[in-house]
Amino acid sequence: GLQQLRMASHRFLRCSILLLVLVCASCAIETGKSGGDRKLGVLSKKKAAIKKYIEEKGLTVKDAPAAIIFYESLSMAFMVGTLSLFLVIKPTRNGLLVPLKSMLGSDRPDNEGGFLGGIVQGASEKFTHLQLRAKDKFSGISKCLGIDALALATAYAECACFRILIKPVLVPLKLYIVWKAILAWKGRDRK
């Protein structure tokens, strides 16, 4: 919640500063003269190649701030959406642990689930311990939102794991969406 918003604003600020430093450094490299001749170093050639590629896609350096803002907004919306979804469906309790425990037999009272059942039982106990520790950390924000701290902490952990797992698909998808949105936005400004 509030911590995530703070982290996102810090990330946005860092990206903006990094972009500003990159632009300033590239300008300094391009305008640096030695013996009256302009030198194009390796960095300048790579920058020129990147700039050409971006311009071929219909974007310019001027579009970078809007793209960063839109990308971060899309990231926050996805995080809030998945967190809300996981608060409702509770995948760990309803979707993963129940079938796994029953399949391995670790839900039986005599705990004859064998080696794998013992592993599941141990993991379940560690998970419960982590939930209790996280409950303390999420208690402040859970009071503000009116949500159980344990449910919020569990949903956040599930959400974080899910986002890490789908990152190889999600990042290119978000970049594609941002690219198309910036092109549509630029097209509207021209009309």
Side-chain angles (χ1 to χ4, degrees):
L2 185 60
Q3 181 72 14
Q4 288 291 16
L5 185 60
R6 189 176 298 139
M7 288 173 54
S9 65
H10 287 288
R11 188 174 2 153
F12 174 72
L13 184 60
R14 283 184 297 202
C15 288
S16 300
I17 291 171
L18 182 63
L19 181 63
L20 182 62
V21 168
L22 181 65
V23 169
C24 291
S26 65
C27 289
I29 289 171
E30 281 187 14
T31 59
K33 295 182 179 181
S34 173
D37 295 331
R38 174 179 264 179
K39 289 186 175 181
L40 284 177
V42 174
L43 186 61
S44 293
K45 289 180 184 176
K46 286 183 180 180
K47 183 191 155 280
I50 291 170
K51 186 176 180 182
K52 180 181 175 189
Y53 176 78
I54 290 172
E55 287 174 350
E56 286 174 358
K57 299 297 179 191
L59 301 174
T60 64
V61 175
K62 292 178 184 178
D63 299 324
I68 290 170
I69 290 170
F70 191 74
Y71 183 87
E72 291 299 324
S73 300
L74 192 61
S75 296
M76 288 296 295
F78 183 76
M79 185 196 69
V80 169
T82 54
L83 181 61
S84 301
L85 180 67
F86 286 179
L87 270 169
V88 173
I89 64 171
K90 299 176 174 115
T92 304
R93 291 184 184 214
N94 298 331
L96 297 175
L97 288 183
V98 173
L100 188 61
K101 281 182 173 181
S102 65
M103 182 177 71
L104 296 174
S106 64
D107 59 342
R108 296 194 311 233
D110 57 356
N111 198 14
E112 294 177 8
F115 177 70
L116 289 177
I119 291 174
V120 172
Q121 186 66 30
S124 181
E125 289 171 7
K126 286 182 183 178
F127 182 73
T128 304
H129 176 69
L130 287 174
Q131 281 181 325
L132 294 175
R133 284 183 46 207
K135 186 176 181 178
D136 294 335
K137 295 186 187 262
F138 282 87
S139 63
I141 193 160
S142 68
K143 287 178 186 173
C144 293
L145 297 175
I147 301 171
D148 178 45
L150 186 59
L152 183 62
T154 304
Y156 179 76
E158 293 166 345
C159 174
C161 290
F162 177 72
R163 287 184 295 128
I164 288 169
L165 286 174
I166 67 166
K167 192 176 273 191
V169 174
L170 186 62
V171 171
L173 180 64
K174 288 192 295 187
L175 288 172
Y176 177 78
I177 291 170
V178 168
W179 172 56
K180 286 297 192 178
I182 295 296
L183 288 180
W185 180 52
K186 286 174 69 171
R188 227 181 307 172
D189 284 349
R190 289 182 189 152
K191 291 180 181 179

